[in-house]
């Protein structure tokens, strides 16, 4: 007689998992830095000095992550996910990738339009990617804010969906992206 066991959940490849969690930490830090920059103006110069290169790091990680995503097969959706939920998950993933790529570019272009350099390390500045134009700067500043709210909302929805699957359905969705071994794989 055989005992029925829960099938192991297929996982994302290791680079995808490392990039996912690294970016999660960077994005959460960026949210806190962005809010604190506005709420505590005395820390503005210090936080801005962190915010700019962190935004560029997020852009670079997003590009590497997208390349990894396009060159590796994804694990199949879980059986607990219906067709509509699978479509929503796919579209929200596309939206997250788009925002993680576009948001830093908007910030970089905004600074370029203000003729404010993006200082990376020491005296290393990134080149301008938009012409100096105060009207363009104002438009991009608004776009940067709107994109930040949209990214926050999408990120929050992603976390809520993972919590629903992890705590509510207990279907092992978190294991797909975890860096730790599953209980089934432990001695």
């Amino acid at each position: 007689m055989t005992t029925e066991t829960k099938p192991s959940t297929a996982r994302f490849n290791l680079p995808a998992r490392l990039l996912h969690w690294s970016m999660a930490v960077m994005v959460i830090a960026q949210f806190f830095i962005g809010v604190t920059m506005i709420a505590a103006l005395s820390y503005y110069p210090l936080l801005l000095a962190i915010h700019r290169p962190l935004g560029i790091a997020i852009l670079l990680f997003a590009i590497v992550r997208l390349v990894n995503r396009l060159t590796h097969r994804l694990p199949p959706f879980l059986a607990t996910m219906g067709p509509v939920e699978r479509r929503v998950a796919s579209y929200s993933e596309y939206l997250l990738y788009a925002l993680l790529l576009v948001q830093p570019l908007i910030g970089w272009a905004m600074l370029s339009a203000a003729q404010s350099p993006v200082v990376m390390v020491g005296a290393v500045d990134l080149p301008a990617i938009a012409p100096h134009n105060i009207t363009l700067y104002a438009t991009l500043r608004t776009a940067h804010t709107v994109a930040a709210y949209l990214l926050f909302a999408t990120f929050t929805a992603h976390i809520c969906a993972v919590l629903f699957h992890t705590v509510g359905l207990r279907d092992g969705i978190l294991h797909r992206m975890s860096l730790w071994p599953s209980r089934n794989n432990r001695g």
Side-chain angles (χ1 to χ4, degrees):
M1 179 177 182
T2 61
T3 58
E4 195 172 283
T5 59
K6 183 177 176 183
S8 64
T9 306
R11 299 175 84 182
F12 286 85
N13 65 48
L14 182 59
R17 291 181 281 145
L18 290 169
L19 287 163
H20 175 272
W21 291 109
S22 298
M23 289 189 71
V25 169
M26 289 190 291
V27 169
I28 290 167
Q30 198 72 309
F31 286 146
F32 282 111
I33 290 168
V35 169
T36 307
M37 280 171 44
I38 293 156
L41 293 177
S42 61
Y43 293 108
Y44 186 84
L46 170 65
L47 295 173
L48 189 60
I50 298 168
H51 187 77
R52 290 174 177 178
L54 183 56
I56 298 302
I58 289 170
L59 174 62
L60 294 174
F61 271 63
I63 291 168
V64 171
R65 190 170 176 193
L66 183 60
V67 168
N68 182 69
R69 164 68 176 79
L70 295 172
T71 57
H72 291 83
R73 184 178 298 225
L74 293 176
F77 285 107
L78 297 175
T80 55
M81 296 175 73
V84 172
E85 189 177 4
R86 291 174 185 203
R87 256 189 311 258
V88 169
S90 294
Y91 291 140
S92 67
E93 177 191 16
Y94 302 150
L95 180 59
L96 270 173
Y97 274 110
L99 289 168
L100 290 168
L101 291 166
V102 169
Q103 178 66 347
L105 289 171
I106 293 170
W108 186 359
M110 176 185 75
L111 292 170
S112 297
Q115 282 191 325
S116 182
V118 178
V119 179
M120 293 304 292
V121 178
V124 177
D125 297 347
L126 295 179
I129 61 170
H132 174 61
N133 182 309
I134 198 66
T135 304
L136 178 60
Y137 165 78
T139 302
L140 290 170
R141 184 174 172 91
T142 299
H144 194 64
T145 301
V146 169
Y149 283 120
L150 186 54
L151 180 57
F152 180 76
T154 307
F155 189 84
T156 302
H158 176 73
I159 292 169
C160 289
V162 171
L163 283 172
F164 170 72
H165 278 270
T166 301
V167 177
L169 299 179
R170 297 178 188 251
D171 59 8
I173 199 165
L174 187 59
H175 175 68
R176 295 161 50 97
M177 196 55 82
S178 69
L179 295 173
W180 54 87
S182 72
R183 290 184 181 143
N184 297 339
N185 294 339
R186 292 181 188 154

